[in-house]
Amino acid sequence: MNQHLFTVDLEDYFHVSAFEPLIPRDEWSRFAPRVRLGTERLLDLLAAHQSTATFFVLGWVARHDPELIRRVHEAGHEVASHTYWHRRISTVTPAELKQDLLDSKAAIEDACGAEVTGFRAPSFSLVPGTEWAFDVLLECGFQYDSSIFPITRPGYGYPGAPLDPYVIDRPAGRLLEIPLSVLRIGGARIPAAGGGYLRHFPIGLLQQAFRQRARAGSPGVFYIHPWELDPDQPRLDVGTLTRMRHYRGLSQVAPRVATLLKEFRFSSIKAWLPSMSATLSTDRPVYESI
């Protein structure tokens, strides 16, 4: 059975990018945190299926609830960075991103004592035109990124990027990229990595995508947020489209995650990397056009 990668963007419901106009960052502290609830449900699901995951932790959460991050680490999962303030890459300067990354690494490493070497951009916002972020990641000591969604979509996506993990050559060094999963049907790429796609699409589409990745000899990358396992979270007064995208299908998430964990074998990125290193050094081409 092929091994796939289970990832969690560890953030609370009020950190979501779509809520930024409603909830300024300096008001985050006035919201009652609920991130523990969804995280604990994920930890229980992963333990029940003997799987590990990479938790891309928001530094703000690590600073405000270090005990939760220690619990994730002590359960055998990898901790990585999801920035500190959950700002899209396209909204910050290189200097601002560097400071944010250093702050997030410090908060996460202080919380659990584990070295942080992986990164995922908020809202998959590492898009064409923001390639400078790879150099900042390397300068901050990161070894891999998992932000590229190789699709065409308003708001994010990197059309034409490879579907398999690949190495990016940059002036600052070499960085491993682990893209999110898509389902290829003819010439189309359909996003099928989890998150909202798990809630809005038939689960069979995601299952097909992971089977397709296995046939290609490459891991599928699944992602989820703790708030997606919290159907009782407070409802915010947002527009119709945002309300549908955020709240629709929340009650289906836990059983659907369990279905995927039952069919496929998942691990953290850290646990998978040793088996990938030899492959990258022999028959995986370096992708230099990013």
Side-chain angles (χ1 to χ4, degrees), residues 215-287:
R215 290 193 297 270
S218 183
V221 179
F222 177 80
Y223 79 98
I224 199 74
H225 305 88
W227 55 260
E228 291 183 282
L229 285 92
D230 181 14
D232 298 322
Q233 65 189 268
R235 265 45 178 180
L236 300 177
D237 185 14
V238 294
T240 301
L241 183 58
T242 297
R243 183 167 62 250
M244 182 185 71
R245 285 178 174 172
H246 187 86
Y247 299 117
R248 183 174 180 268
L250 292 176
S251 62
Q252 304 177 62
V253 171
R256 288 189 171 196
V257 170
T259 295
L260 294 173
L261 285 168
K262 184 177 181 179
E263 178 176 354
F264 302 106
R265 183 164 63 94
F266 285 95
S267 80
S268 67
I269 294 172
K270 181 180 180 180
W272 163 82
L273 280 175
S275 65
M276 189 60 188
S277 297
T279 306
L280 282 169
S281 65
T282 55
D283 61 2
R284 296 273 180 170
V286 174
Y287 189 71

Side-chain angles (χ1 to χ4, degrees), residues 31-273:
F31 288 84
R34 296 179 64 90
V35 68
R36 279 194 173 213
L37 190 153
T39 301
E40 287 169 358
R41 288 176 177 169
L42 280 168
L43 291 174
D44 290 345
L45 280 166
L46 290 162
H49 293 87
Q50 299 180 318
S51 298
T52 58
T54 295
F55 284 72
F56 291 99
V57 178
L58 200 65
W60 190 93
V61 174
R63 189 64 74 199
H64 287 78
D65 192 353
E67 182 182 340
L68 177 63
I69 310 310
R70 281 196 297 273
R71 181 174 174 188
V72 169
H73 173 62
E74 290 170 359
H77 305 290
E78 179 187 13
V79 291
S81 172
H82 196 41
T83 72
Y84 191 96
W85 286 109
H86 207 263
R87 292 179 292 190
R88 292 181 180 90
I89 301 297
S90 57
T91 68
V92 297
T93 66
E96 289 170 336
L97 178 61
K98 184 173 184 177
Q99 188 59 58
D100 185 284
L101 291 175
L102 294 174
D103 290 344
S104 76
K105 279 174 64 76
I108 299 163
E109 291 173 354
D110 287 350
C112 65
E115 183 183 11
V116 170
T117 61
F119 174 75
R120 174 169 292 156
S123 303
F124 308 114
S125 56
L126 219 163
V127 298
T130 62
E131 293 83 1
W132 53 263
F134 293 126
D135 296 310
V136 179
L137 287 169
L138 287 162
E139 290 169 9
C140 292
F142 287 89
Q143 298 174 11
Y144 74 84
D145 173 67
S146 184
S147 304
I148 297 294
F149 217 142
I151 59 172
T152 300
R153 179 193 183 280
Y156 62 76
Y158 208 115
L163 304 185
D164 298 328
Y166 54 96
V167 173
I168 300 172
D169 261 353
R170 296 292 302 176
R174 305 182 88 196
L175 189 74
L176 175 62
E177 178 61 43
I178 305 170
L180 280 295
S181 292
V182 303
L183 175 64
R184 294 184 68 180
I185 300 179
R189 295 180 172 189
I190 300 173
Y197 306 109
L198 177 70
R199 292 183 283 115
H200 301 307
F201 290 176
I203 189 173
L205 189 146
L206 275 75
Q207 291 169 305
Q208 288 182 56
F210 282 89
R211 292 169 192 154
Q212 189 176 82
R213 289 287 82 219
R215 290 193 297 270
S218 183
V221 179
F222 177 80
Y223 79 98
I224 199 74
H225 305 88
W227 55 260
E228 291 183 282
L229 285 92
D230 181 14
D232 298 322
Q233 65 189 268
R235 265 45 178 180
L236 300 177
D237 185 14
V238 294
T240 301
L241 183 58
T242 297
R243 183 167 62 250
M244 182 185 71
R245 285 178 174 172
H246 187 86
Y247 299 117
R248 183 174 180 268
L250 292 176
S251 62
Q252 304 177 62
V253 171
R256 288 189 171 196
V257 170
T259 295
L260 294 173
L261 285 168
K262 184 177 181 179
E263 178 176 354
F264 302 106
R265 183 164 63 94
F266 285 95
S267 80
S268 67
I269 294 172
K270 181 180 180 180
W272 163 82
L273 280 175

